[in-house]
Amino acid sequence: RYEIHAKKSGKVVLIDNQAINEICMNLGAPHEKIAGLHFHIDYGEKVKKGDKLFTLYAKTEDRLNLGLKALENYQVVVIK
């Protein structure tokens, strides 16, 4: 697993479902039941810099690395 934290304070104004889908597929979902994302925040919620936004889960380290690589191409959560 790997935790993603807020880089700035503000309000969650977007959670991108397409980005979630792409990242989860790279993590091994839906074939690997443990693979996916768990959100610790909700749309419209105020967050502080450093707050945990979501956690990535994968069965193997290779799959986790694929998910992290995919994460580089997407902005899953937008904070303004």
Side-chain angles (χ1 to χ4, degrees):
R1 70 179 159 190
Y2 188 89
E3 296 177 351
I4 304 299
H5 299 268
K7 295 180 182 176
K8 65 179 184 178
S9 297
K11 184 178 179 181
V12 177
V13 296
L14 175 73
I15 298 176
D16 187 343
N17 288 328
Q18 183 177 356
I20 294 167
N21 186 46
E22 291 294 326
I23 293 165
C24 285
M25 286 192 308
N26 280 280
L27 291 169
H31 303 293
E32 299 293 335
K33 299 304 177 194
I34 194 171
L37 298 179
H38 174 77
F39 279 85
H40 303 282
I41 48 95
D42 289 318
Y43 175 80
E45 186 174 333
K46 291 183 180 181
V47 295
K48 295 177 186 166
K49 182 178 180 177
D51 283 354
K52 193 182 328 181
L53 299 177
F54 57 93
T55 304
L56 288 80
Y57 292 93
K59 189 173 184 178
T60 67
E61 190 172 333
D62 288 339
R63 278 294 191 173
L64 184 59
N65 288 332
L66 284 173
L68 291 170
K69 189 76 168 165
L71 185 61
E72 293 174 5
N73 299 319
Y74 296 98
Q75 189 170 9
V76 177
V77 176
V78 176
I79 299 170
K80 291 200 177 190

